[in-house]
Amino acid sequence: MCSKQMGSDDIGQWRIEYIPDKPPVPPDQQPTVDVVASPIDPKFANAIVRRLNQVAPLENLRHVKRVQKKCLEGGKAELSVVLCIVPDNGDLRGMPPDVQELISSYQLSTFTTKVCKYAALSKEEWEAQCKLWPTSYHPPTYNISGITGFSEDDSRSVFSFMKYAVELATSGNEWVVNAAVIVDPISSQVIASACDQVCHSHGSPARTSAEPRCYGQVAAISAKSDVNGRTDYDSLPQNASSNYLEQKGAVVSCLSPWSWAKKCAHQSSSSLWHPLRHAAMVAIESSAERDRQLFPGSGRSEDMVSEMDCAQYSAGSPAKRQKTEDLRFQVEIDEKRDVHSLQGPLEKPYLCTGYDIYLAWEPCVMCAMALVHQRIRRIFYAFPNASAGALGSVQRLQGEKSLNHHYAVFRVFMPQDTLRSVPIPLS
Amino acid sequence: MASSGEQQERCPAAAADSLSFMELAVQQAKLALESLEVPVGCVIVEDGKVIASGRNRTNETRNATRHAEMEAIDVILDHWHRSGLSATEVAEIFSRCILYVTCEPCIMCASALSILGIKEVYYGCANDKFGGCGSILSLHIARGFKCYGGIMASEAVSLFRDFYEQGNPNAPKPHRPRAAQASS
């Protein structure tokens, strides 16, 4: 799903799509249950349904409508009703006696049919379900940090940072590379940003290629300085669109991580290259350096020491301020807000807890696991990575339950003309 | 210690060599432990000679990706770069290198080793939470490297145990599942 090319209906609008922990089931392949049903005379419908709800309630199929109405030619309607689930052994004589009695008293002619086993999670699933047998659908009303939708303000912020990341990816003039921007969503501050440094002399934007081996020199750019240092739009490809970028993606490290030797083969011996310096890895390094600069000392604080990243048994980390569990992101934000107001903005971060990362391309498995280690809260990417993407395209790391941290993953769809028209972050 | 006959048959490298290189990796892990880091260490071996070593530095750097493997890889890449080797030459040398590491490489490190095209990996104990060489994902299979586990696993596990016992005296008693046996 997330590896598909952008379709024509994707072009017009900014859009954020949640990439779930499990691969989505195609709407027409949802699990089903066999039920016994029968056409009924409309004038007995009320009585029959009332009786069935007493003697054979559909306990685990509450989303399934009891009655199906089919419009026949001439405007006449035919009603059918679900009597009960087909007994385990498939033998209809195993139906509840009360149902059998109902069948004989109304002289029903039963048939078996399929209904969907689980309630629909999306409109598409619901529409597919109703082709089998009508169900009800209740769109989710809760909201957990974007998983079921973003507020207008939050969306605008996501779009600006994504635009910034894609701009970074294209700002090298010659090559399009991957770019990563780590953001503190509470302050809308850019914590670190970086481009691929696999083939360094080609890969990085002017801002970072000035220094040799610029490990972490991009630390702590504020949103303001991003505006000042923003790329000249004229240097962007005039027809910059997602398809264009995907075509030019040949040097994006996460798309073809194994071909570094070929990519860097023609580099002069003095040029800098490193097979593992993908944008996300460099951004993590920058954010760590920023941490060390802003909060010198105490690198061996208790919460660090109790951290466990390498072995098969995990110690609890009681000192950890924000415990990250699957879908509890909103709670974390609220906690963090409180902490900010109490202790001021310079509270020492624990790795990248609470931070988001914006990537032009879906990361490879090395980068995706690095972002687990560094405790990133949410990942936004613009373009799927069908050859090596680890967040839905090839692997789906966000669904690996054994990991000790889980982030939420989103794909951001961009309109064709965005690179030239949307203003950069705001402060 | 996993130097059983079966292990010798499975490991192309001579068992005695494996053990002596793994001893060096354990020494690195002990250095990490002394620095209050998660005790994982490794060495990279080319043609029977240790060319790099590394140990976990995640706390010191506040960069949770600075695992022993990444440290050792950066040491040797930096050396080769200064020696003026080309990317093609570096790729060729990596294809002859063997990594000895006290704990199964995590998903990130296993992927990195696959990207580099390393020849073989020998590890100590399995990594049931993050392992990328069979425990969680099997990144060594498709575009990877030969991988053998269980070499000096008990030493590796005992270092982890020491880490938790010395690591954080102020913390409440952590939940500590029993040490799992290393794979194979």
Side-chain angles (χ1 to χ4, degrees), chain A residues 289-320:
Chain A
E289 184 171 305
R290 171 185 183 272
D291 189 0
R292 297 197 303 273
Q293 280 171 3
L294 289 180
F295 308 97
S298 74
R300 292 164 181 175
S301 68
E302 290 162 23
D303 55 348
M304 293 293 213
V305 168
S306 65
E307 185 51 37
M308 179 56 183
D309 259 345
C310 290
Q312 71 273 41
Y313 37 93
S314 69
S317 306
K320 223 190 274 181

Side-chain angles (χ1 to χ4, degrees), chain A residues 68-176:
Chain A
Q68 179 192 53
K69 182 177 177 181
K70 271 189 181 162
C71 287
L72 303 176
E73 280 179 38
K76 281 188 71 176
E78 183 196 67
L79 297 187
S80 300
V81 67
V82 175
L83 297 169
C84 62
I85 295 173
V86 170
D88 284 342
N89 59 4
D91 183 353
L92 293 191
R93 286 171 300 185
M95 288 191 293
D98 290 331
V99 174
Q100 300 197 31
E101 197 183 299
L102 197 79
I103 291 170
S104 60
S105 64
Y106 286 96
Q107 297 189 323
L108 302 178
S109 48
T110 61
F111 63 94
T112 63
T113 187
K114 289 181 188 304
V115 301
C116 281
K117 189 171 182 183
Y118 304 112
L121 297 174
S122 67
K123 197 160 165 282
E124 291 71 32
E125 284 189 8
W126 176 59
E127 283 165 356
Q129 291 194 346
C130 291
K131 286 176 188 159
L132 292 177
W133 188 276
T135 60
S136 53
Y137 169 53
H138 302 288
T141 51
Y142 58 92
N143 187 9
I144 306 161
S145 244
I147 288 176
T148 58
F150 288 80
S151 75
E152 210 169 295
D153 279 357
D154 289 347
S155 302
R156 208 173 300 129
S157 171
V158 166
F159 298 150
S160 332
F161 285 121
M162 183 51 84
K163 179 175 172 347
Y164 177 48
V166 170
E167 254 182 20
L168 262 184
T170 54
S171 62
N173 289 333
E174 199 180 346
W175 299 92
V176 176

Side-chain angles (χ1 to χ4, degrees), chain B residues 33-104:
Chain B
L33 185 68
E34 284 165 18
S35 310
L36 303 184
E37 299 276 359
V38 173
V40 179
C42 72
V43 294
I44 299 176
V45 173
E46 178 202 357
D47 299 336
K49 268 170 43 187
V50 174
I51 56 169
S53 63
R55 53 97 168 166
N56 201 317
R57 282 181 199 273
T58 53
N59 289 345
E60 174 195 330
T61 57
R62 299 185 210 176
N63 179 341
T65 71
R66 298 314 298 170
H67 290 182
E69 299 93 321
M70 303 302 256
E71 289 283 320
I73 287 165
D74 277 1
V75 165
I76 194 59
L77 272 174
D78 194 47
H79 174 74
W80 285 335
H81 194 263
R82 273 188 251 174
S83 314
L85 295 191
S86 71
T88 318
E89 289 166 318
V90 164
E92 192 277 322
I93 305 179
F94 266 129
S95 73
R96 288 187 279 113
C97 283
I98 302 177
L99 173 81
Y100 293 85
V101 57
T102 55
C103 180
E104 177 189 353

